[in-house]
Amino acid sequence: MRALFTGALPRTVLTVLLALVMGGVIMQVSGKDALNAYQVLFNSAFGNERALANTLLAATPLIFTGLATLIAFRAGIFNVGVEGSLYVGAFTAAWVGFTFVDLPGVVLIALAFAAGGLVGGLWGLIPGYLKARLRVDEIVTTIMLNYVAIRFTDYLVTGPFFVPGMANAMSAEVTPQAQLPRLVERSQLNLSLVVALVVFLVVAFMLRRTTLGYEVKTIGSNPVFARWIGMPVSRTIMLVMSISGLIGGLAGAGQALGVNYRFVSGFSRGLGFDGIVIALLGRGSPVGVLLSALFLGALRNGASTMEMFTRIPRDLIDIVVALVIFFTAVEIGFNWLRRRRPTPDAVPPPGSAAEPEKEGVRGNA
Amino acid sequence: METLDLIVNIAASTLRLATPLILAAMAGLLSLQVGQVNIGLEGMMLAGSFAVVAFGFWLGSTWMGVLAAILVGVALAALFAFVVTRLKANLIVSGLALNLLASGGTAYLLEILFNTSGTFSPTALQSLPNLSLPVLSDLPLVGRLLFNHSPLVYVSWLAIPLTALFLYRTIPGIHIQAIGQNEEAARSVGIPVRRRQYLALMIGGALCGLAGAHLAVGDLALFREDMTAGRGFIALAAVYFAAGRPRLSALACLLFGLFEALQFRLQLASSIPPQFFQMLPYVMVVITLAVISARKEWRKGWS
Amino acid sequence: MPYLELRGIRKTYPGGVLANDDITLSVEQGEIHGLVGENGAGKSTLMKILYGMEQPDHGEILLAGRSLKIANPHAAIQLGIGMVHQHFQLVPNLTVAENIALGAEPRKGLFADQAAMHSRVRALSERFGLQVDPAARVSDLSVGLQQRVEILKMLYRDARLLILDEPSAVLTPQEVESLFSVLRRLVAEGCTAIFITHKLYEIMSICERATVLRRGRVVGSVRTAESSPAEISRLMVGHDVASPQRTPPNANPRDRLVVRALTTGSAHRSTPLDFTIRSGEILGVAGVEGNGQSELIEALLGVRTGVTGDIVLDGTSLSRLNARRRREKGLALIPEDRNREGLSRPMQVWENLASATYYRSARASVLDLGGLQGAARDLIRRFDIRVSSEKSAVSTLSGGNAQKVVIARELAESPAVLIAAQPTRGLDVGAAQFVHEQLLNLRREGVGILLISADLDELLALSDRLIVMFEGRILATFQRDAATRQALGLAMAGRLESEDAP
């Protein structure tokens, strides 16, 4: 694994630069001044304290979803379902926030985060259970369950939790003491970033130093061996999917309590999918995830200002991100992620029967 | 009489709504059969929707727009095929990237080219006129139900047996199955694996282009950002639901089309929330996969 | 002029593994030529080169006197070279005829001409005496029939030179006999064959000449009529096989592992298994691969569902315990396929060594990294694992050293019962000897050992008793003195001697 990441940073930077250059070419072809656009983008992402705060604000949910995807990746699970966990987590947190209005702020915020994480975790457990116990391919189930979560939460705010007089489908506002305190003035940057950083530390420690991290690594590299050596493989897969969903749920809670102050139907528009980009770009390391989330946050934050000043549609950034994914996917191809068979049978781990030992005994000793 | 009318109306709109699903499902099925799960159906469809409107508008002919949609679908599929077969990038990740590229790219182009965002419905652009089959469309009920539709509806019907014929009877089709089930075996007898993968994916791209075209000009004539709204994934669900078989996949698409039709019709009349029908295809495929796997596990035990 | 000549073939894999080193060999027209050598000797690589799947770094291939460059399997097929792979290259959901004709289908326009396909397959079947139903789905066929389909696939392509890569590995002795008669018929019809194996008696009975490889080099070329199994074996391993030193069996043995009425829920008719392993005893399990050995291992280890019956280790029933608990009770395993079941190759040596016990020293779920790495260093020293650091990845180790990692881990905890499955597969002679010594040491210490091996020599040299598995059941039990190669062979084929003797 480690060998895979040597020289990762320069290569990541290169893929990102390449995508930015291609984005620039697209802008030039569309008759826009790309250099100026990037300048504006950079300034509005990092130019002053407020810009930086907004970049961090945009990065906050991405840190969560990136870590959520990463931990599953490490166990060899391709969890595309963080988006779904995010939705159910966000609704749950908002519900706590507008229901238990008599609780003091600290308790209420803690409770809302806990509830959002819990429900997100349970949501992740569904495909986790199906994969661990029945070997149902998690890619398909998580993709499908995302849509279920999005539609179901939409139902909740248009049906049972409908608030009359609202133009869009959204829940009631959470009570003021449940709204996350802001960290700086003139930006929505809020406590949720601190929660994200705590989660980062916990995940990094968990992966490096704990029995669970060790089991995750073993299962991710060779699930058959893990089972034969006596590791609780099914249990770990379910646990990992729950943790992944839990972190996704926290991301949703953070957005609901810290940015929107309510649950807004369809609010995420792909924060969970961005997590895949970030885990990929971060090459399987928590620190890489942190940096990638910051990068993507800067792009997303800078894009809206760029649109305002240069009249270049912010959708350009989606194109750049898509290119980053293409280039990164092409360039790394995590070997265990590679070439999944459509059949639900488990992927043969690297160095298994599918890839017999090279003949000849000389070479190395 | 009124109930009968309602039923015929629902059935007819089911057929219309199932059309893009069927076309995209045939595309998804071909890529599944050649061993490449295609998450990018959604993006290819969306690009097709954009292309049919943009080119139909420029060229002053909706049919030329349809042709452009097919070509755009094929081009994106070729890009996807290149990235996953030649450059060996991860399938799922590349598919997601393709979707993002399509949604970002169409939105970007909408602003750059037509200086508008959200929805673009040029008045100069006509939707595809309904094709009423002579004689048949005059039949009572059946005529209205089956033989008075946008032309691409009939194309989707044709696509089903043609896909089956292609896959099971033609030589490239047999090769595609062989590659999907045992790529090494296919390679060892000299089948040009990569070329066949390109073929399967590019036919799929054409079908997705058509699916997108139907969405945009089958009924109205407009492009809306992200107008595919997850239909690519519903099509994929249908393929999984039917374990990759053409006719069964099409049936699943009809069923999902029915859900969509019901959701519009019953919204006002009944207490069933529309989201229920929207969720149903996804829930069904998850349950189906679970049941299939459970039965398989039951039979073989862990190994 | 020889029909096929390979001159000075050399092939180095990325990573520096020298698989073929200056290999020269020649095959006459109409000959069945044996290519023998241990696992890892370079046989498969050489044949992949001949079949165009790999390109040699150096060397020349001459077919009927013409120097050739074989770019890919397709080119090889065009030249009349066909290969039956050890792992069949069949498409399960297609029919027999479609599989045979795959890639060379008779056309009718765009379509495959099914009728022509079937009649050509039928004609070939009759000409070479290979009966098989062209309309059957391949997934429904037995292994023996699938091999027939593979052979027909080559004949369909007018192969004149047939390469058979370990064709007997998956067959019963009867099926091997019928394969041999097919081969003789093919040769009589004008074909030439290269027969890859590491089983000596097969070479002696089917081949006229054999080329012996060792460590990627040709170490000898013999006429079987003028040679002996002993000579070929010497060539293969490089010296006389020394029988390992065995001490006399334990005087007062006690039962260590008792297996009663064990069914594994496999595809075989699940006949219950009963056997006992006593302290200081090596119980050998003979049998053609695929006769229930793998299922038995999985059932004993506890990684299989649908298992019934009782497994008792030193008086404690394991039946309801999971793999970890069973290991804690003293069960250890050297698995059949170490890269799949015994190691995580991308992970470091210490991580692999710690994988059975890491959780015990953990405090509040936090790993004791220092302790685990220190223990790993001790094991590396004790078992003489050649590795630069305990932090090297296992993927950088040779097969022998990787196996030592497995053995070190499994023996570190002083097991009560050891299951050793194909423990020397793919190892060079030195490493194999090391493994045998370890097994005999354990036997001396009173450990009960279940030795599952495809290598009859290994079984005969080490076992105190032998059982033969056939179609999922124990067909015969032999005491060491009564076990002969011939008797074992018959039992492996599913026949009991008593059936023949009145």
Side-chain angles (χ1 to χ4, degrees):
Chain A
M1 204 81 179
R2 190 134 308 161
L4 212 78
F5 297 129
T6 41
L9 193 62
R11 277 184 284 134
T12 308
V13 171
L14 207 69
T15 48
V16 165
L17 279 180
L18 195 58
L20 286 172
V21 167
M22 281 188 71
V25 171
I26 292 171
M27 283 191 272
Q28 291 291 351
V29 170
S30 330
K32 308 281 179 184
D33 183 350
L35 219 55
N36 178 46
Y38 279 137
Q39 220 157 32
V40 171
L41 189 138
F42 184 84
N43 280 335
S44 43
F46 299 109
N48 53 49
E49 193 192 332
R50 176 158 173 264
L52 192 63
N54 282 338
T55 290
L56 289 173
L57 173 69
T60 302
L62 303 180
I63 296 173
F64 282 115
T65 58
L67 291 170
T69 313
L70 165 82
I71 184 175
F73 269 17
R74 280 285 192 93
I77 307 169
F78 204 136
N79 182 10
V80 194
V82 176
E83 181 86 355
S85 296
L86 185 131
Y87 272 93
V88 296
F91 178 84
T92 310
W95 176 76
V96 170
F98 64 70
T99 304
F100 301 100
V101 291
D102 297 329
L103 292 175
V106 183
V107 178
L108 190 54
I109 287 172
L111 187 66
F113 264 112
L118 180 73
V119 173
L122 290 174
W123 191 256
L125 185 57
I126 300 172
Y129 177 86
L130 292 176
K131 180 182 173 65
R133 292 284 183 231
L134 300 177
R135 296 186 170 192
V136 183
D137 186 271
E138 76 279 11
I139 295 176
V140 185
T141 51
T142 52
I143 286 175
M144 299 298 154
L145 286 169
N146 281 339
Y147 283 96
V148 176
I150 294 169
R151 306 278 195 254
F152 182 68
T153 50
D154 183 57
Y155 157 71
L156 288 175
V157 290
T158 52
F161 295 95
F162 178 69
V163 181
M166 289 281 192
N168 296 319
M170 52 178 71
S171 76
E173 198 179 49
V174 299
T175 184
Q177 76 267 25
Q179 301 176 2
L180 298 182
R182 299 204 171 159
L183 300 182
V184 294
E185 283 181 20
R186 295 172 55 236
S187 166
Q188 285 184 298
L189 183 65
N190 58 69
L191 189 70
S192 175
L193 174 67
V194 179
V195 180
L197 292 176
V198 170
V199 170
F200 159 76
L201 290 176
V202 171
V203 168
F205 182 80
M206 191 280 281
L207 287 176
R208 279 186 63 84
R209 294 298 309 272
T210 67
T211 50
L212 177 62
Y214 176 76
E215 284 153 5
V216 162
K217 190 174 179 184
T218 309
I219 292 168
S221 60
N222 185 348
V224 175
F225 165 62
R227 194 153 54 87
W228 283 52
I229 201 66
M231 288 183 185
V233 175
S234 294
R235 206 187 69 198
T236 306
I237 287 174
M238 289 193 279
L239 190 58
V240 164
M241 282 297 285
S242 302
I243 294 174
S244 179
L246 182 147
I247 300 173
L250 292 180
Q255 294 306 97
L257 302 173
V259 180
N260 301 322
Y261 301 141
R262 52 164 52 88
F263 176 82
V264 181
S265 176
F267 74 97
S268 159
R269 306 190 62 82
L271 292 172
F273 295 119
D274 283 346
I276 299 172
V277 184
I278 289 161
L280 204 65
L281 201 56
R283 309 202 179 215
S285 106
V287 176
V289 163
L290 209 57
L291 293 175
S292 307
L294 204 63
F295 165 70
L296 209 62
L299 280 186
R300 293 244 187 268
N301 167 38
S304 35
T305 319
M306 180 187 82
E307 185 174 56
M308 221 152 34
F309 285 109
T310 65
R311 308 197 51 76
I312 295 171
R314 70 173 88 177
D315 307 291
L316 178 86
I317 294 308
D318 280 341
I319 300 177
V320 172
V321 173
L323 292 173
V324 170
I325 309 176
F326 268 132
F327 295 150
T328 316
V330 167
E331 201 258 317
I332 15 177
F334 283 123
N335 23 12
W336 51 264
L337 274 180
R338 222 189 245 184
R339 314 221 120 216
R340 307 257 320 203
R341 295 270 125 211
T343 49
D345 294 320
V347 201
S352 72
E355 185 193 324
E357 256 184 336
K358 287 281 184 317
E359 280 199 338
V361 276
R362 289 237 181 130
N364 38 33
Chain B
M1 202 57 214
E2 208 171 273
T3 347
L4 192 64
D5 234 38
L6 181 69
I7 290 175
V8 171
N9 273 340
I10 289 179
S13 59
T14 296
L15 292 176
R16 253 197 322 280
L17 291 165
T19 294
L21 301 181
I22 291 173
L23 290 167
M26 295 303 120
L29 176 161
L30 285 172
S31 50
L32 190 71
Q33 288 278 2
V34 84
Q36 312 277 334
V37 186
N38 194 344
I39 305 287
L41 299 176
E42 179 89 3
M44 293 180 201
M45 273 168 88
L46 188 64
S49 297
F50 183 81
V52 73
V53 171
F55 285 93
F57 172 66
W58 286 328
L59 303 174
S61 153
T62 311
W63 281 110
M64 291 306 284
V66 172
L67 187 65
I70 294 174
L71 292 178
V72 166
V74 170
L76 279 182
L79 172 74
F80 182 72
F82 174 73
V83 171
V84 299
T85 69
R86 181 97 221 178
L87 303 179
K88 307 227 181 292
N90 174 262
L91 274 175
I92 306 302
V93 172
S94 309
L96 288 173
L98 183 70
N99 289 341
L100 192 58
L101 187 67
S103 90
T106 52
Y108 180 78
L109 289 175
L110 199 60
E111 289 223 27
I112 293 292
L113 298 174
F114 303 112
N115 206 13
T116 164
S117 67
T119 305
F120 177 55
S121 64
T123 43
L125 184 71
Q126 305 285 316
S127 64
L128 290 177
N130 271 14
L131 184 63
S132 301
L133 299 186
V135 188
L136 290 174
S137 60
D138 296 332
L139 294 171
L141 292 182
V142 182
R144 184 147 58 94
L145 174 59
L146 293 179
F147 302 113
N148 187 11
H149 283 294
S150 167
L152 294 182
V153 175
Y154 307 118
V155 172
S156 78
W157 297 351
L158 277 179
I160 305 160
L162 285 180
T163 305
L165 201 66
F166 170 72
L167 199 56
Y168 297 130
R169 290 282 164 244
T170 68
I171 292 171
I174 292 172
H175 291 180
I176 283 169
Q177 288 185 68
I179 293 165
Q181 289 171 46
N182 188 345
E183 187 176 325
E184 199 54 46
R187 209 177 286 283
S188 76
V189 292
I191 290 175
V193 170
R194 205 170 281 152
R195 218 182 313 154
R196 295 284 184 253
Q197 286 173 329
Y198 268 91
L199 179 69
L201 288 170
M202 283 164 75
I203 294 175
L207 289 165
C208 282
L210 276 173
H214 177 81
L215 274 180
V217 300
D219 206 355
L220 308 165
L222 61 82
F223 174 80
R224 205 171 47 241
E225 279 181 30
D226 292 316
M227 73 185 300
T228 41
R231 285 189 178 79
F233 290 101
I234 294 194
L236 202 64
V239 173
Y240 271 95
F241 194 68
R245 279 166 295 192
R247 285 179 191 85
L248 225 59
S249 302
L251 268 179
C253 289
L254 278 178
L255 186 65
F256 297 165
L258 173 67
F259 294 159
E260 211 180 330
L262 285 177
Q263 130 196 199
F264 290 131
R265 304 278 160 170
L266 296 184
Q267 202 161 356
L268 301 171
S270 87
S271 57
I272 306 174
Q275 293 94 347
F276 175 76
F277 289 107
Q278 292 170 353
M279 291 184 328
L280 213 48
Y282 305 114
V283 173
M284 279 173 63
V285 79
V286 172
I287 291 174
T288 309
L289 288 179
V291 169
I292 292 173
S293 299
R295 274 176 37 200
K296 212 186 261 172
E297 289 299 306
W298 185 257
R299 256 185 268 129
K300 75 170 189 211
W302 282 76
S303 62
Chain C
M1 179 180 65
Y3 179 59
L4 170 76
E5 244 192 302
L6 301 178
R7 286 186 194 156
I9 301 286
R10 184 185 164 93
K11 173 75 186 175
T12 311
Y13 279 112
V17 179
L18 182 59
N20 283 167
D21 186 5
D22 192 24
I23 290 190
T24 295
L25 77 85
S26 68
V27 180
E28 299 295 330
Q29 172 89 46
E31 178 191 11
I32 300 178
H33 190 97
L35 188 61
V36 277
E38 291 189 298
N39 283 317
K43 307 176 301 253
S44 292
T45 301
L46 187 63
M47 290 303 109
K48 279 182 183 163
I49 289 172
L50 182 54
Y51 194 56
M53 293 165 78
E54 300 278 0
Q55 294 307 315
D57 305 330
H58 284 287
E60 201 182 3
I61 302 171
L62 290 97
L63 192 67
R66 242 163 20 100
S67 175
L68 301 169
K69 194 167 158 37
I70 305 174
N72 53 46
H74 196 57
I77 293 167
Q78 299 284 310
L79 292 164
I81 302 172
M83 181 155 176
V84 172
H85 299 266
Q86 195 174 355
H87 303 287
F88 298 152
Q89 302 288 335
L90 298 173
V91 184
N93 281 359
L94 296 183
T95 64
V96 166
E98 282 170 337
N99 264 287
I100 291 172
L102 192 66
E105 296 89 349
R107 308 183 157 263
K108 211 156 70 185
L110 245 186
F111 297 95
D113 187 345
Q114 296 279 348
M117 214 147 76
H118 282 224
S119 65
R120 279 173 73 175
V121 168
R122 232 175 262 118
L124 279 176
S125 288
E126 272 157 34
R127 180 168 154 212
F128 294 101
L130 290 155
Q131 292 315 317
V132 57
D133 172 15
R137 218 167 266 280
V138 159
S139 53
D140 298 336
L141 300 184
S142 70
V143 173
L145 282 178
Q146 289 187 8
Q147 190 171 61
R148 267 185 198 186
V149 176
E150 281 282 15
I151 294 173
L152 281 167
K153 222 162 116 182
M154 297 192 308
L155 299 173
Y156 181 90
R157 288 164 174 72
D158 297 322
R160 313 302 296 159
L161 174 64
L162 315 177
I163 306 166
L164 297 111
D165 188 5
E166 308 250 1
S168 59
V170 290
L171 303 182
T172 64
Q174 278 69 27
E175 284 175 319
V176 172
E177 269 316 311
S178 105
L179 172 69
F180 284 180
S181 62
V182 166
L183 280 180
R184 292 194 185 98
R185 190 150 168 188
L186 292 176
V187 171
E189 294 271 347
C191 294
T192 306
I194 297 178
F195 189 95
I196 304 173
T197 186
H198 58 259
K199 294 181 185 164
L200 297 179
Y201 79 92
E202 292 180 356
I203 292 290
M204 301 308 288
S205 60
I206 188 77
C207 302
E208 287 121 59
R209 290 195 307 149
T211 299
V212 186
L213 298 188
R214 187 170 77 238
R215 296 183 163 215
R217 285 170 169 275
V218 174
V219 289
S221 190
V222 297
R223 238 164 230 298
T224 51
E226 297 156 11
S227 181
S228 68
E231 188 195 349
I232 297 176
S233 156
R234 248 195 321 276
L235 287 169
M236 262 169 72
V237 298
H239 55 79
D240 287 298
V241 186
S243 279
Q245 289 302 304
R246 284 163 42 97
T247 50
N250 203 328
N252 326 307
R254 60 199 166 86
D255 291 352
R256 295 222 82 154
L257 187 76
V258 181
V259 172
R260 287 288 163 258
L262 184 77
T263 66
T264 56
S266 72
H268 295 295
R269 286 166 308 236
S270 263
T271 316
L273 302 175
D274 287 271
F275 60 87
T276 302
I277 304 174
R278 289 186 283 268
S279 53
E281 180 183 54
I282 297 181
L283 177 65
V285 178
V288 177
E289 278 180 66
N291 275 288
Q293 299 95 323
S294 304
E295 290 84 352
L296 172 62
I297 296 166
E298 290 173 7
L300 290 176
L301 188 64
V303 292
R304 199 179 166 79
T305 53
V307 175
T308 65
D310 207 13
I311 303 163
V312 178
L313 189 150
D314 285 348
T316 317
S317 173
L318 301 182
S319 309
R320 302 205 166 278
L321 304 181
N322 62 28
R324 176 169 288 177
R325 297 281 165 268
R326 291 184 193 200
R327 285 175 171 278
E328 284 170 353
K329 297 287 177 204
L331 189 68
L333 167 75
I334 300 170
E336 280 176 287
D337 181 347
R338 65 178 159 273
N339 290 332
R340 191 175 123 85
E341 296 143 2
L343 294 166
S344 172
R345 286 170 61 82
M347 288 171 72
Q348 297 169 15
V349 170
W350 78 265
E351 290 175 311
N352 275 281
L353 286 171
S355 55
T357 52
Y358 66 97
Y359 59 96
R360 284 185 222 162
S361 57
R363 258 182 294 174
S365 290
V366 178
L367 291 173
D368 174 16
L369 290 186
L372 294 174
Q373 287 168 6
R377 279 193 295 274
D378 288 345
L379 285 175
I380 288 170
R381 219 169 302 125
R382 196 173 126 203
F383 286 88
D384 190 28
I385 303 170
R386 305 282 165 78
V387 56
S388 53
S389 145
E390 77 275 11
K391 290 184 177 151
S392 308
V394 165
S395 55
T396 63
L397 302 187
S398 68
N401 268 316
Q403 187 72 322
K404 279 184 180 178
V405 173
V406 174
I407 291 172
R409 178 186 66 219
E410 298 300 322
L411 303 193
E413 293 284 295
S414 319
V417 169
L418 173 72
I419 306 166
Q422 320 292 356
T424 56
R425 173 170 287 177
L427 302 188
D428 61 38
V429 178
Q433 241 167 15
F434 173 86
V435 173
H436 287 166
E437 278 162 22
Q438 293 293 329
L439 292 181
L440 289 171
N441 282 345
L442 290 174
R443 173 177 174 271
R444 205 173 308 123
E445 289 161 15
V447 175
I449 298 171
L450 186 69
L451 173 65
I452 297 151
S453 177
D455 182 348
L456 280 186
D457 296 320
E458 181 170 79
L459 286 171
L460 289 168
L462 296 175
S463 307
D464 295 287
R465 277 187 308 142
L466 275 152
I467 56 180
V468 180
M469 288 193 73
F470 180 75
E471 292 189 344
R473 61 205 153 97
I474 295 174
L475 192 73
T477 307
F478 295 92
Q479 292 302 321
R480 177 180 174 76
D481 306 329
T484 61
R485 186 175 268 285
Q486 195 182 10
L488 286 171
L490 277 172
M492 284 164 69
R495 278 159 55 201
L496 290 171
E497 274 178 330
S498 55
E499 285 171 11
D500 299 318

